[in-house]
Amino acid sequence: MLMTTLFTLPENAAPGDQARRRGTFCFLAALLATPITIWLFSALGTIWMKIEPLNGVPLFLAASLVGLLLAAAPIIALFGWLLALWYGVESVFMQRGKRTPKTDIVIVGVGLVAWFSPAFGFLATAIGALISGRVHFVRPARDYLLAVDPVAYWQGVGFMFITAAVFGWLAYRYWQSKLHRKRG
């Protein structure tokens, strides 16, 4: 009964209802895959200690299964969260059979934060670099100080402002059409 109601919709279901159902499915997949991923990576040493003494086919099968889980679980979790957010936001702005204003506000709020976070992150980093007089890049590990290398410092600050502007513009373009029309 639960499986039937979870995965099936009437054929004449509104597009928003279909998107919300897809988003719910992706959300449940992410909720299931995220703790599995965390557990697998945190207990990998213990798991491998149980696999290591095996030989031949059992070693191959156990190592392959663990490798498959280590590869698939994070991907399912990541894409589950991303697609849940995507379908959830899209469902808010499509025609639906039932209105859910409180859920819609939560979905739109989470969506706005997720879409604009990269822009705000780069903007905060650029402002921090202006205040501290130091630009830090992680990979490759580089620090550019205003007092030591002003050209590289200003290039780094400019890069961060430009990147913040690009991410902000892309997020704005996505949300522009949605926030100026009526919700479904």
Side-chain angles (χ1 to χ4, degrees), residues 35-47 70:
I36 291 171
T37 300
I38 293 169
W39 176 78
L40 277 171
F41 280 96
S42 65
L44 186 57
T46 307
I47 295 169
L70 287 171

Side-chain angles (χ1 to χ4, degrees), residues 7 24 52 68 79 83 94 102 111 122 136 150 155 158 161 175:
F7 295 113
T24 302
E52 193 174 23
L68 176 67
F79 281 103
L83 290 173
M94 292 178 167
K102 290 180 183 177
F122 274 102
H136 174 72
Q155 286 176 342
F161 276 119
W175 283 96

Side-chain angles (χ1 to χ4, degrees), residues 32-173:
L32 180 66
T34 300
I36 291 171
T37 300
I38 293 169
W39 176 78
L40 277 171
F41 280 96
S42 65
L44 186 57
T46 307
I47 295 169
W48 189 251
M49 284 176 36
K50 293 179 181 180
I51 294 174
E52 193 174 23
L54 300 174
N55 288 321
V57 174
L59 172 65
F60 172 75
L61 293 175
S64 297
L65 178 64
V66 169
L68 176 67
L69 289 173
L70 287 171
I75 291 171
I76 292 169
L78 176 67
F79 281 103
W81 289 116
L82 291 174
L83 290 173
L85 183 62
W86 179 268
Y87 284 127
V89 168
E90 291 296 317
S91 74
V92 170
F93 298 98
M94 292 178 167
Q95 179 185 7
R96 291 190 319 265
K98 180 181 173 187
R99 296 186 57 79
T100 55
K102 290 180 183 177
T103 305
D104 293 350
I105 289 171
V106 170
I107 291 172
V108 168
V110 170
L112 283 167
V113 168
W115 260 265
F116 282 97
S117 287
F120 289 135
F122 274 102
L123 186 62
T125 304
I127 292 170
L130 288 174
I131 292 170
S132 69
R134 173 181 160 250
V135 175
H136 174 72
F137 291 100
V138 177
R139 293 227 158 79
R142 298 267 161 78
D143 285 312
Y144 299 113
L145 303 172
L146 177 60
V148 177
D149 193 358
V151 172
Y153 168 80
W154 286 112
Q155 286 176 342
V157 170
F159 167 77
M160 289 186 195
F161 276 119
I162 290 169
T163 306
V166 167
F167 280 127
W169 182 78
L170 290 172
Y172 167 75
R173 291 296 296 168

